Amino acid sequence: MSYRISDWKIIWVLGVGYSGFRLIREALRGHRGWGPAWRSPEPKARYDALIVGGGGHGLATAYYLAKNHGLTNIAVLEKGWIGGGNTGRNTTVIRSNYYYPESAALYDFSLKLYENLAQELNYNVMISQRGMITLAHSRHDLEGAHRWVGAMNANGVETRMLSVAEIKRRIPALDVSPTARYPVWGGFMQKRAGTGRHDAIAWGYARAADRLGVDIIQNCEVTGIDRGPDGAVTGVQTTRGAIATSKIGLAVSGRSTALAEMAGFRLPITTYALQAFVTEPLKPCLDVVVLSLSTGTYLSQSDKGGLVIGGGFDLYPSYAQRGNLPAARRVLAAVADQYPGFGRVRLLRQWAGAVDVVHDSSPILGTSPVEGLYLNCGWGTGGFKAIPVGGTTLAHHMATGRPHAVAAPFSLERFSTGALIDEAAASGIPH
Amino acid sequence: MLRITCPYCGPRDELEFRCGGEAHIVRPGPPETVSDEDWGAYLFQRQNPVGAHHERWVHEGGCRQWFHLVRDTRTHEVIAVYKMDEPKPEVPE
């Protein structure tokens, strides 16, 4: 818990924080006192550390470098606008229902940070722990679910099995009849799972990092990584000039391979398009996140009322940030089959992000083959839930030179030692 | 939706095909001479290019033959199609 009275007093006195008091004060002054939430500085010639990628992970890394480790002469380089990549393209689900102890420790660490993030950042990130139900559609799904629930509880992540009657009561729109196309055999629920507001998480971290002195530089694409005679990084070339540094953190998800290539090494990553969909707003009709094991689709209802729908990715490599109809049809047909009433709801938007998929569906965290270059990639289709832990662990490694305890098992070396953490099944969707 | 020209059946809809990933991966060997690093690279590392990608596809819903194609990963444009035993065509980056 990072909430401290003294922090709030300072914010209060300065009148720059967000609070009810501030809102009233600004309302009385005609809202003329709201400044930009972060600066737009020109890049300096040199920084102590650079973060490439201004998504949730990059911004969180900058924030924790400044807050936990006192490194403030640092910058985040973003080729477009912050939060415009996968952070702005996901389905905002936050959960820690993984199978292996390493994953449980990692993702639950993240969930715990999310639980207090609004207070930590003084920004309403709209974390809604509405719970997530995973549906089993066959005897085999149900056996898998029992095993999964056992593992989660053994790992200290509370969860419990649900009967069909409980599921019916909690998700009235779901077809649980014996003649359903995807019959429901049962399921389980992680109560602490839920959703967050993706833009707010990027903006909240950006604002908090900026206030600690971090430069957030947008429209600044990294075009090359400079290395000295000893092989260590010495800086980057960007579309806004050269910037010197001795430490670089990469948090660029689907673009990780391209950045690694600039530094002269390869990664076990393939980039795919992952689509998501949102429907027209409906009255409140779904108050949990639901994941269907057999179809790999998941949905929740946003605060605006739209159903936010996701599923498996398009099954060929892509940087297009655009999905195709066969994958869309698979996902939407499954939703229409499971929730007959939703079949007539119109889609408002459809989009895709470029996700960095790894063979064992676990992230790659820590050092790279290049001295001074640190990795935070391979989150695949599930990076959003891991933003706080991705930032914490990358910042820890860059500042101390040692891996954070929860990140240590996820090093790049596992692809030559064979110590994979294979969450392909337990992640619940076809990564 | 992609339109892919199967070298055996002609142009068909994407729905009939499945992508089998990167083509032309050479298995190192003999096994006892291959280091853990090289074996890991063979198993897991991929080109994953931004641009022309040489990949395997199978006409699953048709003739069920495997073949190669070159596709731009930025636009999904199919640049070239060639059979399994044909040499890798030269394509612009």
Side-chain angles (χ1 to χ4, degrees):
Chain A
M1 190 90 173
S2 57
Y3 177 98
R4 292 200 306 272
I5 295 297
S6 58
D7 287 346
W8 281 96
K9 267 188 186 159
I10 293 165
I11 290 166
W12 197 287
V13 169
L14 293 176
V16 294
Y18 293 159
S19 63
F21 173 81
R22 176 93 193 276
L23 194 62
I24 292 164
R25 182 165 162 254
E26 296 300 342
L28 294 173
R29 301 196 307 169
H31 292 290
R32 285 188 301 271
W34 303 108
W38 54 84
R39 299 162 294 130
S40 295
E42 284 300 311
K44 293 187 218 164
R46 183 176 178 84
Y47 287 96
D48 293 340
L50 288 174
I51 316 296
V52 184
H57 283 271
L59 295 164
T61 304
Y63 170 71
Y64 292 115
L65 270 173
K67 177 170 176 276
N68 295 351
H69 305 284
L71 257 73
T72 53
N73 182 31
I74 61 175
V76 178
L77 308 181
E78 165 55 46
K79 73 169 178 173
W81 63 95
I82 61 167
N86 293 349
T87 301
R89 294 166 189 266
N90 62 84
T91 49
T92 78
V93 177
I94 294 166
R95 58 189 174 90
S96 62
N97 56 345
Y98 283 75
Y99 185 79
Y100 290 101
E102 296 87 347
S103 312
L106 187 76
Y107 291 105
D108 212 49
F109 188 99
S110 202
L111 184 51
K112 282 174 183 155
L113 287 177
Y114 262 134
E115 285 171 337
N116 290 314
L117 199 60
Q119 291 87 338
E120 166 94 24
L121 301 178
N122 176 233
Y123 203 102
N124 183 7
V125 290
M126 297 166 71
I127 302 301
S128 161
Q129 291 182 289
R130 60 187 68 182
M132 173 163 153
I133 293 176
T134 304
L135 300 173
H137 297 296
S138 65
R139 185 162 60 83
H140 310 288
D141 273 4
L142 195 61
E143 282 172 6
H146 275 290
R147 180 167 175 264
W148 193 349
V149 165
M152 282 175 68
N153 284 319
N155 292 332
V157 180
E158 194 200 329
T159 183
R160 71 177 187 88
M161 294 299 297
L162 295 180
S163 69
V164 178
E166 284 172 302
I167 290 168
K168 175 68 193 164
R169 186 161 47 78
R170 198 61 206 269
I171 319 170
L174 180 69
D175 183 2
V176 298
S177 66
T179 55
R181 169 69 184 81
Y182 297 101
V184 175
W185 283 60
F188 65 89
M189 179 159 191
Q190 183 185 13
K191 272 192 162 177
R192 288 165 58 235
T195 60
R197 171 73 194 158
H198 48 7
D199 289 332
I201 287 158
W203 299 338
Y205 272 120
R207 174 170 162 274
D210 176 85
R211 184 162 302 164
L212 293 170
V214 175
D215 283 358
I216 295 163
I217 302 163
Q218 305 184 73
N219 298 310
C220 179
E221 181 171 0
V222 171
T223 54
I225 293 175
D226 301 331
R227 298 171 64 183
D230 60 347
V233 296
T234 57
V236 294
Q237 299 294 324
T238 77
T239 50
R240 293 177 68 174
I243 305 173
T245 190
S246 58
K247 280 180 187 173
I248 301 171
L250 289 187
V252 296
S253 62
R255 289 275 167 168
S256 296
T257 313
L259 269 291
E261 201 172 287
M262 289 178 197
F265 65 97
R266 294 177 69 193
L267 287 169
I269 284 178
T270 304
T271 301
Y272 293 96
L274 176 66
Q275 301 190 55
F277 314 85
V278 66
T279 71
E280 60 189 332
L282 306 175
K283 289 189 175 180
C285 58
L286 180 68
D287 65 355
V288 287
V289 181
V290 192
L291 168 73
S292 155
L293 280 176
S294 295
T295 64
T297 56
Y298 43 94
L299 75 164
S300 61
Q301 189 172 23
S302 77
D303 293 342
K304 280 193 288 189
L307 296 171
V308 183
I309 301 167
F313 51 72
D314 287 53
L315 293 166
Y316 42 83
S318 170
Y319 288 87
Q321 291 186 313
R322 186 181 74 218
N324 256 332
L325 287 170
R329 183 175 173 273
R330 257 195 325 270
V331 173
L332 297 170
V335 171
D337 273 336
Q338 292 176 72
Y339 306 87
F342 294 167
R344 286 159 49 212
V345 178
R346 281 163 293 196
L347 281 186
L348 221 51
R349 288 182 291 131
Q350 169 268 357
W351 65 93
V355 296
D356 44 344
V357 174
V358 176
H359 285 75
D360 64 355
S361 300
S362 287
I364 303 170
L365 308 173
T367 51
S368 75
V370 173
E371 176 77 24
L373 189 68
Y374 299 84
L375 301 171
N376 169 341
C377 58
W379 295 100
T381 59
F384 178 74
K385 72 173 88 67
I387 285 171
V389 75
T392 301
T393 56
L394 181 58
H396 182 96
H397 210 143
M398 288 176 74
T400 66
R402 293 184 308 277
H404 190 285
V406 298
F410 297 93
S411 74
L412 183 61
E413 283 75 51
R414 73 178 190 271
F415 296 96
S416 48
T417 62
L420 302 183
I421 302 162
D422 194 352
E423 290 286 358
S427 53
I429 43 176
H431 283 273
Chain B
M1 189 83 85
L2 302 184
R3 179 168 284 263
I4 295 171
T5 305
C6 170
Y8 304 97
C9 309
R12 298 294 174 87
D13 192 283
E14 173 185 345
L15 285 167
E16 298 185 12
F17 298 88
R18 184 163 60 82
C19 180
E22 185 181 327
H24 307 295
I25 296 172
V26 179
R27 180 185 171 119
E32 61 275 16
T33 65
V34 181
S35 68
D36 287 353
E37 284 69 28
D38 289 346
W39 188 249
Y42 159 67
L43 286 177
F44 302 119
Q45 284 182 5
R46 294 293 175 262
Q47 299 286 349
N48 197 27
V50 184
H53 188 230
H54 296 258
E55 55 197 17
R56 291 177 162 187
W57 283 73
V58 61
H59 192 187
E60 205 172 39
C63 63
R64 304 186 69 187
Q65 297 281 332
W66 284 90
F67 59 94
H68 287 139
L69 62 80
V70 188
R71 191 178 51 87
D72 191 319
T73 58
R74 293 165 298 191
T75 61
H76 298 164
E77 182 199 354
V78 177
I79 302 165
V81 180
Y82 55 107
K83 292 179 181 172
M84 293 302 277
D85 55 353
E86 287 174 348
K88 194 173 167 179
E90 286 304 317
V91 292
E93 277 298 305

